[in-house]
Amino acid sequence: MATLATLALPGEEDDPDVVKMVGGQISPNRLRALYFTRARAPFGEGPYYHHLGVYAFRRAAFDRFVSLPVSPLEKRERLEQLRALEDGMRIDAALLDKAGPSVDTERDLDAARRVARVL
């Protein structure tokens, strides 16, 4: 599996609507995902990564993923990618320099609609 992430903006670290990705660096712009959470993580100094919620699968990985039952951590965090991690699947993340605004809540959708009216 593969996904996308970017550096979290100031204030996003504590926002439960922003999914944070904890990962180990495997190249300058690539991380191996270790965990995803709505909480502030990891503890201590350093960057926070905002998971963008886009996935790429090889066919076999997709077939495996959709055959898995909902996992305990997936239920707890309400994050489907934890199902894959709990089953031992690997998720690599490409780091983007920047990303457009995220639309994760009704509040975000209202803001996007306001911007669209102006354009």
Side-chain angles (χ1 to χ4, degrees), residues 96-119:
L96 302 180
D97 292 334
K98 60 182 177 176
S102 183
V103 180
D104 300 311
T105 64
E106 288 292 325
R107 181 185 69 223
D108 297 340
L109 181 57
D110 291 341
R113 286 179 173 147
R114 284 193 300 277
V115 169
R117 281 189 220 115
V118 172
L119 300 175

Side-chain angles (χ1 to χ4, degrees), residues 27-54:
S27 70
N29 292 310
R30 202 166 114 202
L31 299 174
R32 173 142 326 123
L34 303 173
Y35 195 68
F36 296 86
T37 183
R38 295 178 181 282
R40 182 184 193 104
F43 178 78
E45 296 297 318
Y48 291 91
Y49 296 103
H50 179 155
H51 177 239
L52 300 178
V54 176

Side-chain angles (χ1 to χ4, degrees), residues 7-20:
L7 286 173
L9 297 173
E12 288 185 333
E13 303 94 338
D14 294 310
D15 185 344
D17 292 324
V18 174
V19 176
K20 277 65 77 183

